[in-house]
Amino acid sequence: MDKRLQKIAAIEIVVLLAIWQALASLEWIPAYLSSPYVVGSEMWALIVSGELFTNAASSLYRSLVSFLLVMVLGIVLGIAAGFFKPVGIFFQPIVDVLNPVPKIALLPILMVWFGISDTTRILLIFLTAFFPCFIATKDGVHGVKQVFVWAAENMGASKFQILWKVILPASLPKIFDGLRVSLGLTFVMMFSSEMIGSSNGLGLGFMILLADMAGRTDLMFVSVFFIALLGFLFDRILLAVRARLLWWSENRG
Amino acid sequence: MKKGWKFLIEYQSLIWIVVAWELVVFLQIMPERLFPSLSKVLVVAFELITTGMLLENLPITLFRVFAGFALAAVVGVPLGLLMSRSKLLNDLVQPIFSLGFPIPRVALYPILVFILGLGSASKITMIFLECLFPIVLNTYYGSTRVGKLYLWAAQNMGANRSQVFWRVLLPATMPSIFTGLKIALPMAFIIAILTEMIGATAGMGYLLTYMSASLMQEKVLACVVLITLVGYLLNLLIQKIQRKYVFWQ
């Protein structure tokens, strides 16, 4: 997004909030739709009491641990599957069968095995976010020009050197495409795994669930806004890391 | 014989998983209540089909999936095409899509429930919102990348605006449109299951949570197997359609 579009986006958000506020002040929309002023002051109260941060922290812990696992396992296994043909063939049927499953359906099963715990949630988030990263990495390795590998071999590089110095950097643009999808999914599943199942502990999804039970839509808006903010922020961070690592690549997202 | 062997090698990972699973059951490493054997799961899955549980719930879920998906396609494809043609529209709409893309939009679902209730309306709206993004973005980028040469050639040969659009721009964008649709349809199914698990009185997601309340793992697993099957078939369907209409790719 260039500067001009950013300006337009800012104007649009302000106009939308103004319309929302106006409709709420004139009482043209039902009271449960709250108003920006009420949501804002509620958010401020939660920030001051620190409640928002403790909830956000435990949500973030779940999604970031899973994302770390996805990054490590997805990239390592993806490169192995792309580079060594037998490994690729071994994993292909698992990917074909498991990838289209809505992983959220596994939540009740995992809940019985591991309890309503962080293990369950982290595992579920990991299972969802793993496949985009794995598939993108594997595609990226397949897309590396054979000439590069031959050149490295010619100059006496070992297998490990080829993987580390040629294959990994050359497939990084694709890997980042996959990671971006995975990151988005971790936040979706973070919210879903907290929403479904009983409500105990901390987390932004729980905040929504509790607010829902109490009929406090203003609190729901606060948590939704915070989840959106976190999703947006971490996407930006990933894009910044990508721009730094891939300064040589043409398409920097 | 050789073909069978090759098949075994190719699918060995799945076979290993099944073997490991059955071994856990056989050696009773986990209590059977929690870890039922796969044959039992398949029997229960079959029972769900014959007793009509599936027929009661699957059409409701599929209706939500296709209604939301179709709405998103009907709105998204023209919107994406128009965005690539009109600068004003692009300036207005592009920021919304760039900002909204990385945001977990499902978080809005509980609020949608407040507005539209627990029925199909809130679920279809959620599916529509979620599908709109990949469809609009892929259509938009696809049609901005249509080769200028094609458009110039058509104009040179005296095609008017509507001819350029229907005969050149739309067919050239078709593959990208399908890329978007192919991302959107599985997503529609996932969101349908997800929203039904959060709260519903019918549908596959509801069936799953209903079964899990019984704490009978084989019933839950049977549900998962059926959901997987439906997801897989939906994937197959969109691929078939793509091959029929974008045959030149």
Side-chain angles (χ1 to χ4, degrees), chain B residues 178-226:
Chain B
F178 262 96
T179 310
L181 296 180
K182 244 166 74 178
I183 300 172
L185 188 60
M187 206 127 100
F189 186 58
I190 292 171
I191 300 297
I193 300 286
L194 179 63
T195 51
E196 281 170 3
M197 284 178 78
I198 291 177
T201 49
M204 291 304 283
Y206 164 76
L207 186 66
L208 186 73
T209 37
Y210 174 76
M211 287 300 177
S212 73
S214 72
L215 280 180
M216 304 266 273
Q217 280 294 78
E218 63 258 31
K219 284 192 179 169
V220 184
L221 278 165
C223 263
V224 173
V225 168
L226 291 175

Side-chain angles (χ1 to χ4, degrees), chain B residues 128-161:
Chain B
F128 164 75
L129 275 179
E130 201 66 37
C131 289
L132 198 61
F133 278 78
I135 293 176
V136 167
L137 290 176
N138 276 292
T139 309
Y140 170 71
Y141 286 117
S143 75
T144 51
R145 279 189 204 129
V146 172
K148 281 258 172 355
L149 280 179
Y150 297 142
L151 299 177
W152 287 338
Q155 276 165 356
N156 239 358
M157 288 184 268
N160 58 30
R161 279 179 77 104

Side-chain angles (χ1 to χ4, degrees), chain B residues 106-136:
Chain B
V106 250
L108 283 175
Y109 181 67
I111 292 170
L112 277 181
V113 170
F114 253 96
I115 302 171
L116 295 169
L118 264 179
S120 286
S122 60
K123 290 172 178 87
I124 292 171
T125 311
M126 194 70 242
I127 294 169
F128 164 75
L129 275 179
E130 201 66 37
C131 289
L132 198 61
F133 278 78
I135 293 176
V136 167

Side-chain angles (χ1 to χ4, degrees), chain B residues 21-225:
Chain B
W21 185 288
E22 292 298 311
L23 215 63
V24 170
V25 176
F26 183 72
L27 297 174
Q28 293 182 328
I29 296 171
M30 295 264 278
E32 220 209 320
R33 242 180 101 77
L34 301 185
F35 211 92
S37 80
L38 289 175
S39 52
K40 217 171 177 182
V41 171
L42 287 180
V43 170
V44 176
F46 191 71
E47 267 171 21
L48 283 180
I49 297 173
T50 50
T51 53
M53 289 272 230
L54 185 74
L55 281 178
E56 256 170 54
N57 292 297
L58 185 59
I60 294 167
T61 302
L62 285 182
F63 164 68
R64 286 167 183 161
V65 168
F66 283 117
F69 176 75
L71 263 177
V74 167
V75 174
V77 172
L79 184 62
L81 286 169
L82 282 174
M83 274 165 72
S84 73
R85 302 277 89 190
S86 142
K87 193 163 158 25
L88 177 70
L89 188 67
N90 187 35
D91 280 348
L92 286 177
V93 179
Q94 185 72 19
I96 300 175
F97 280 96
S98 316
L99 279 179
F101 178 72
I103 288 174
R105 293 171 290 279
V106 250
L108 283 175
Y109 181 67
I111 292 170
L112 277 181
V113 170
F114 253 96
I115 302 171
L116 295 169
L118 264 179
S120 286
S122 60
K123 290 172 178 87
I124 292 171
T125 311
M126 194 70 242
I127 294 169
F128 164 75
L129 275 179
E130 201 66 37
C131 289
L132 198 61
F133 278 78
I135 293 176
V136 167
L137 290 176
N138 276 292
T139 309
Y140 170 71
Y141 286 117
S143 75
T144 51
R145 279 189 204 129
V146 172
K148 281 258 172 355
L149 280 179
Y150 297 142
L151 299 177
W152 287 338
Q155 276 165 356
N156 239 358
M157 288 184 268
N160 58 30
R161 279 179 77 104
S162 91
Q163 275 173 325
V164 170
F165 178 80
W166 287 106
R167 298 291 181 87
V168 183
L169 192 71
L170 190 64
T173 316
M174 227 33 187
S176 312
I177 294 177
F178 262 96
T179 310
L181 296 180
K182 244 166 74 178
I183 300 172
L185 188 60
M187 206 127 100
F189 186 58
I190 292 171
I191 300 297
I193 300 286
L194 179 63
T195 51
E196 281 170 3
M197 284 178 78
I198 291 177
T201 49
M204 291 304 283
Y206 164 76
L207 186 66
L208 186 73
T209 37
Y210 174 76
M211 287 300 177
S212 73
S214 72
L215 280 180
M216 304 266 273
Q217 280 294 78
E218 63 258 31
K219 284 192 179 169
V220 184
L221 278 165
C223 263
V224 173
V225 168

Side-chain angles (χ1 to χ4, degrees), chain A residues 51-63 190 202-204 207 226 230:
Chain A
E51 212 176 313
L52 199 53
F53 293 116
T54 45
N55 281 303
S58 58
S59 281
L60 265 185
Y61 163 74
R62 285 168 201 137
S63 40
M190 176 260 274
L202 294 162
L204 292 169
M207 271 180 72
F226 230 68
L230 286 178

